[in-house]
Every structure is written in structure tokens, then in C-alpha cells.
Amino acid sequence: MIGGFILSHGEKTRITVEIYGQQYVVVGHESKEHIRQVAQIVDDKMREIGRRNPSLTTNQLAVLTAVNAVHEYMKLKEKVKELEQEILKRRVD
Amino acid sequence: MIGGFILSHGEKTRITVEIYGQQYVVVGHESKEHIRQVAQIVDDKMREIGRRNPSLTTNQLAVLTAVNAVHEYMKLKEKVKELEQEILKRRVD
């Protein structure tokens, strides 16, 4: 089964990727290489979490992969804030 | 059904969160507030993608939410690289 998904507006790229044995059509204006890389990371992460928690259903696995990705995103957002403050501080000095 | 998940090593916090109608035990050394916020973002994102693509299964929805989160993470990583280069450039000047 194929699920369509729009990453961003402006539909330029359309690519089919396989994640955890299922195919997904990803549509967006990112490069195919970027989308393939994102799909690979999600696939790897699901397999990694699945190995550590063999009792989880695929559904739970996917949700926890999303939880993990958002957690990493928020940590990185904190880093961006710190770097921006450092740049601002240097401008003032 | 509850799925256990370790966000990071050092198991200090243990919290049950609800995402898309299902409960998950998240264990990690982040604050409960941070974990609740992450769960809320994943829940919101799943509902948003679900509204736009009503034919998707919950499983596909969760995978595409993970795809979206990893995509946002990679964009932010690019920004971190740029900010770090800017700081490095200012040090050299």
C-alpha cells in the first residue's frame, strides 16, 4: 500500500521510498537524495528501536521513532539558540 | 497497550504519555516537561497529517510523522553548520 505525503509546498520532487518494508510516495521540493536519506534514517531508527524492544507493534515502533526524532530536533533547536546568542554577543562586543 | 521506550541512557525519568489515543511509557533522563512536550508535538503532527491524508492507516501516519521530524532535524542541522561557520569566520577576522 502506498501513502502519499507532502513534505512541503511547491510539489517538485516525487519519489517512492521503502520504510520498514512498506512503500511511501513522498512529494516535496527537496532533492531526491535528501528524501532518500531521510527515509533511510527513519528505516534504520525503526529497526534499531525494534531490536531493543521486540515486543512492540510496528505502529508503536513508528510512533516511538517519531518521538525520538522530535526529541533530537528539540535538542538541536536549543543548540541553534545558543549559537545565535553567541553570534549576537560577538556583535555587541 | 503500553510500549516501553528508552530515550537516552541513565534512566532517571519515567513518564506515561498519550499519543494518538495510545499510551507509551517513556524512560530517559530528560525532564518530564520535555518528554510531555515531545509527545504533544508528535500527537499534533500525526493529527495534522491525518487530516490532510484521511486514507492513511495509523501506521503510515506514524511513519510519515517520523519522516517529517527527521526532515526538519536535517534542515536544522544545516543551520547549525552555517552558524558554526559564521562563528569560526568571526574568530579568524
Side-chain angles (χ1 to χ4, degrees), chain B residues 15-72:
Chain B
I15 177 176
T16 303
V17 292
E18 195 172 306
I19 301 171
Y20 216 71
Q22 196 166 22
Q23 289 195 313
Y24 294 85
V25 175
V26 180
V27 184
H29 55 207
E30 305 298 328
S31 71
K32 287 192 177 184
E33 194 198 340
H34 170 86
I35 297 171
R36 268 196 208 101
Q37 209 182 340
V38 168
Q40 186 63 59
I41 291 171
V42 173
D43 187 80
D44 288 350
K45 201 75 205 171
M46 282 183 72
R47 289 178 199 282
E48 187 196 322
I49 297 175
R51 269 195 302 273
R52 283 196 226 153
N53 307 273
S55 64
L56 293 185
T57 64
T58 307
N59 191 8
Q60 291 174 316
L61 211 55
V63 169
L64 291 172
T65 301
V67 165
N68 199 72
V70 169
H71 165 65
E72 294 295 333

Side-chain angles (χ1 to χ4, degrees), chain A residues 34 38 41 68-77, chain B residues 66-80:
Chain A
H34 170 86
V38 168
I41 290 171
N68 198 73
V70 169
H71 165 65
E72 294 293 333
Y73 175 83
M74 284 175 72
K75 277 203 301 186
L76 206 60
K77 211 167 181 179
Chain B
V67 165
N68 199 72
V70 169
H71 165 65
E72 294 295 333
Y73 175 84
M74 284 176 71
K75 276 203 301 188
L76 206 58
K77 210 165 182 182
E78 274 304 304
K79 194 175 179 176
V80 166

